């Protein structure tokens, strides 16, 4: 008995001590740290003019800070990309390969090995008040992933969509409780709802501690349901007809050799309609940014808040005769919008440094005061590029883009005649993905603007582009370039595909 009580007293004292330490840390920390907002759109391209409808976003974020002209995703698919953003790691290290549980999207293995060390966990330990609203990972909320009651660590306020992007008729996990929504615009429109919830969070925050807000609207992902007031916008807009639009991909990998060229008129009508609707959905994102910035001004936090605006992957509408999707290695699918404003950042800058979605976690933790050189993440901080500091930014001579193709067994129901191993087929049998659309690419930007890609298919197909002379990747010059250059690129690829942490950053 006596032993038991002695233990209790010791435990109580330790608890008190840790409270005191915590408090003094909190007080010391709070005066220094900036607030952080991350707005992660879904499928927003850069190459097709995706930022064009976002006029207020451009004025309030880009014009107030930095536009990155060379931001890239490590992989052009929602769940793997979002997993990379949260963990700061390439897909070969997150082991999230696709949007299915079997590909580790929201799986138990992801939860215990990666999510438990994702950047929001660190922010929470540094006494950031954290808020999440919107689409998380495609399998979030499914029974096998723990259902709606599962709330990932690090979040104080959790308002996450169950499943993939929707605008109406969805379920949210609100701090572990299911909240179902119908299709009444004033009550349910997801882009507006998560904004409203974030504004409430900001009103209720405790001003002495910093905050982190992550807003993930469904726009401009399918099903492209615009707010009622925007359903007549851009009525004359069509998908851009330049670059590789409606061009054949005959010198490219197997999947790109399949679509008929020119495209069927019905496909063109379909993609024009999709393009227009995507832009319509973005007008609510633009309102979101305006209202959020206005709130930050009202609560006098705007000058101490970093705002990041980006996307998980790019998009195509008709490029190389593929109707609509994002799973290809070309610039339209991997090149991202990235805008950042914040304290110490000079307005109206364009920076050409190569940055990646795997850098967001490290950069955000750098802002929060974490010693990022001790982190085991593959990305690197671009805070030194944003804000002049004593530390120089890490250079990045080349980087990796990797993707695991999805294919259905048996065949895709929209195209049984092509057999198994294909996915995302349109009724006219043009398919956007296949098991052997599995590739890894090295991209260089600094001295030479090259892309070198190897496929895991039964042709061991290779593509090489010189983007200086061929920005739209119309000609695969693998048979023309010096074999020594191909060998150098192959060696870089091998190195990157097995890199982890430091070895992904320390490249020559
Ligand atoms: C899922 O991730 C775990 C580690 O987190 C790994 O052991 C497993 O092989 C991964 N699954 C696949 C299909 O890659
Ligand atoms: C929402 O679900 C209801 C009931 O199933 C349906 O009638 C309605 O069309 C759906 N709304 C949207 C926008 O999908
Ligand atoms: C969001 O808040 C605005 C302003 O209060 C309100 O008009 C709108 O209906 C709300 N939307 C949703 C989906 O909650
Ligand atoms: C597509 O429409 C154009 C006119 O807009 C017409 O000239 C062309 O023949 C049509 N192509 C097909 C394949 O129907
Ligand atoms: C933020 O800083 C700007 C420029 O220094 C200043 O004009 C503005 O009043 C500040 N806003 C707030 C809310 O403190
Ligand atoms: C940051 O971490 C690195 C690597 O662990 C260490 O060498 C360095 O001393 C640390 N810097 C500070 C300021 O703690
Ligand atoms: C940063 O880079 C410049 C130019 O390369 C160099 O002169 C300077 O010493 C570097 N500073 C640090 C802190 O490494
Ligand atoms: C997702 O990845 C897993 C593991 O590689 C694989 O078993 C599964 O077939 C993939 N899903 C699709 C739809 O390709
Ligand atoms: C890719 O997979 C499809 C479907 O299984 C197959 O028909 C095709 O021959 C494969 N192509 C290559 C180059 O591996
Ligand atoms: C590639 O694999 C497919 C089946 O997936 C087969 O039909 C085709 O003949 C193979 N091609 C070569 C060049 O081996
Ligand atoms: C790439 O294109 C540029 C501009 O046309 C040219 O100077 C350079 O030699 C090309 N490099 C290769 C490897 O083709």
């Amino acid at each position: 008995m006596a032993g038991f009580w002695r233990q209790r007293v010791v435990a109580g004292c330790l608890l008190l001590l840790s409270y005191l330490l915590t408090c003094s840390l909190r007080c010391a920390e709070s005066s220094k740290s900036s607030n952080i907002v991350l707005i992660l759109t879904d499928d927003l391209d850069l190459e097709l003019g995706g930022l064009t409808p976002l006029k207020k976003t451009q004025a309030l974020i880009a014009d107030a800070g930095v536009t990155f002209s060379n931001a890239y995703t490590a992989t052009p698919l929602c769940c793997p990309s979002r997993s990379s953003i949260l963990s700061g790691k390439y897909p070969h290290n997150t082991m999230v390969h696709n949007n299915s549980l079997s590909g580790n999207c929201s799986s138990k293995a992801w939860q215990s090995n990666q999510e438990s060390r994702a950047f929001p966990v660190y922010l929470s330990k540094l006494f950031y008040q954290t808020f999440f609203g919107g689409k998380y990972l495609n399998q979030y909320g499914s029974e096998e992933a723990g259902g709606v009651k599962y709330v990932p660590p690090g979040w104080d306020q959790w308002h996450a969509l169950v499943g993939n992007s929707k605008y109406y008729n969805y379920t949210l996990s609100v701090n572990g409780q299911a909240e179902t929504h119908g299709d009444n615009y004033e009550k349910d429109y997801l882009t507006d709802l998560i904004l409203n919830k974030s504004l409430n969070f900001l009103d209720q925050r405790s001003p002495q501690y910093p905050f982190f807000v992550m807003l993930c609207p469904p726009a401009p992902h399918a099903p492209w349901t615009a707010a009622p007031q925007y359903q007549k916008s851009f009525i004359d807009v069509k998908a851009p007809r330049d670059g590789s639009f409606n061009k054949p991909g005959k010198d490219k990998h197997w999947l790109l050799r399949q679509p008929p060229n020119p495209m069927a008129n019905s496909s063109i009508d379909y993609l024009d309609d999709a393009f227009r609707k995507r832009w319509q959905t973005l007008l609510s994102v633009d309102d979101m940014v305006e209202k959020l910035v206005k709130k930050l001004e009202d609560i006098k936090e705007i000058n101490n808040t970093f705002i990041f605006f980006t996307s998980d992957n790019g998009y195509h509408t008709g490029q190389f005769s593929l109707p609509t999707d994002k799973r290809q290695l070309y610039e339209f699918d991997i090149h991202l919008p990235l805008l950042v404003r914040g304290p110490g950042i000079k307005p109206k800058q364009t920076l050409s440094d190569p940055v990646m979605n795997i850098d967001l976690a490290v950069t955000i933790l750098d802002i929060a005061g974490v010693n990022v050189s001790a982190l085991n993440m593959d990305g690197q901080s671009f805070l030194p590029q944003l804000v002049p500091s004593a530390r120089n930014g890490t250079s990045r001579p080349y980087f990796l883009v990797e993707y695991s193709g999805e294919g259905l067994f048996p065949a895709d129901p929209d195209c049984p005649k092509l057999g198994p191993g294909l996915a995302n087929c349109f009724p006219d049998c043009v398919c956007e993905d296949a098991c052997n659309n599995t590739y890894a690419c090295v991209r260089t930007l600094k001295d030479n603007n090259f892309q070198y890609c190897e496929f895991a298919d039964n042709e061991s197909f290779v593509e090489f582009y010189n983007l200086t002379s061929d920005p739209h990747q119309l000609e695969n010059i693998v048979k023309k370039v010096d074999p020594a250059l191909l060998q150098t690129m192959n060696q870089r690829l091998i190195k990157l595909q097995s890199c982890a942490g430091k070895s992904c950053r320390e490249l020559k």
Side-chain angles (χ1 to χ4, degrees), residues 312-331:
D312 47 5
N313 46 254
Y315 207 68
H316 57 255
T317 50
Q319 281 61 41
F320 297 122
S321 307
L322 293 171
T324 58
D325 200 54
K326 64 281 180 119
R327 298 155 208 251
Q328 300 301 323
L329 56 89
Y330 309 102
E331 292 289 283

Side-chain angles (χ1 to χ4, degrees), residues 336-495:
L336 298 179
L338 176 61
L339 314 174
V340 192
R341 70 171 282 170
I345 302 182
K346 271 193 293 163
K348 288 194 173 19
Q349 294 181 77
T350 299
L351 293 182
S352 61
D353 304 56
V355 292
M356 299 188 76
N357 63 344
I358 56 171
D359 299 340
L360 289 167
V362 191
T363 304
I364 286 170
L365 292 179
D366 201 1
I367 290 169
V370 172
N371 178 0
V372 293
S373 57
L375 285 173
N376 183 33
M377 292 179 173
D378 303 340
Q380 55 202 43
S381 174
F382 55 81
L383 184 59
Q385 283 96 321
L386 289 173
V387 181
S389 75
R391 186 158 56 89
N392 281 338
T394 316
S395 70
R396 172 175 272 140
Y398 49 92
F399 59 87
L400 174 69
V401 176
E402 54 188 349
Y403 180 70
S404 303
E406 289 187 324
L408 298 179
F409 295 91
D412 188 294
D414 281 321
C415 175
K417 81 168 191 219
L418 278 183
L422 286 117
N424 293 76
C425 299
F426 287 84
D428 60 359
C429 248
V430 175
C431 301
E432 296 277 359
D433 209 355
C435 285
N436 51 23
N437 179 37
T438 293
Y439 56 80
C441 305
V442 183
R443 189 81 173 76
T444 63
L445 276 158
K446 230 175 144 204
D447 303 320
N448 292 302
N449 197 354
F450 295 154
Q451 188 186 29
Y452 169 88
C453 302
E454 291 182 3
F455 278 81
D457 62 9
N458 61 14
E459 295 171 346
S460 298
F461 205 78
V462 178
E463 298 189 26
F464 190 103
Y465 297 97
N466 181 352
L467 285 108
T468 308
S469 53
D470 180 22
H472 299 296
Q473 299 166 295
L474 299 175
E475 190 190 3
N476 175 11
I477 56 168
V478 66
K479 296 206 175 86
K480 293 188 189 164
V481 292
D482 182 352
L485 176 56
L486 293 180
Q487 202 183 353
T488 302
M489 295 300 261
N490 164 269
Q491 280 160 2
R492 288 172 170 176
L493 186 60
I494 291 168
K495 196 152 56 169

Side-chain angles (χ1 to χ4, degrees), residues 52-82:
T52 308
L54 293 160
K55 300 275 182 256
K56 294 183 279 198
T57 302
Q58 294 200 61
L60 294 170
I61 306 182
D63 292 352
V66 166
T67 299
F68 281 97
S69 57
N70 284 312
Y72 285 84
T73 184
T75 188
L77 186 65
C78 305
C79 195
S81 172
R82 286 161 186 255

Side-chain angles (χ1 to χ4, degrees), residues 97-98 100 102-103 405-408:
H97 308 295
N98 56 37
S100 315
S102 64
E406 289 187 324
L408 298 179

Side-chain angles (χ1 to χ4, degrees), residues 163-184:
N164 200 2
S165 278
K166 283 186 174 181
Y167 297 78
Y168 290 119
N169 286 349
Y170 55 84
T171 301
L172 288 186
S173 167
V174 175
N175 302 317
Q177 301 284 313
E179 183 180 287
T180 55
H181 284 265
D183 64 357
N184 176 327

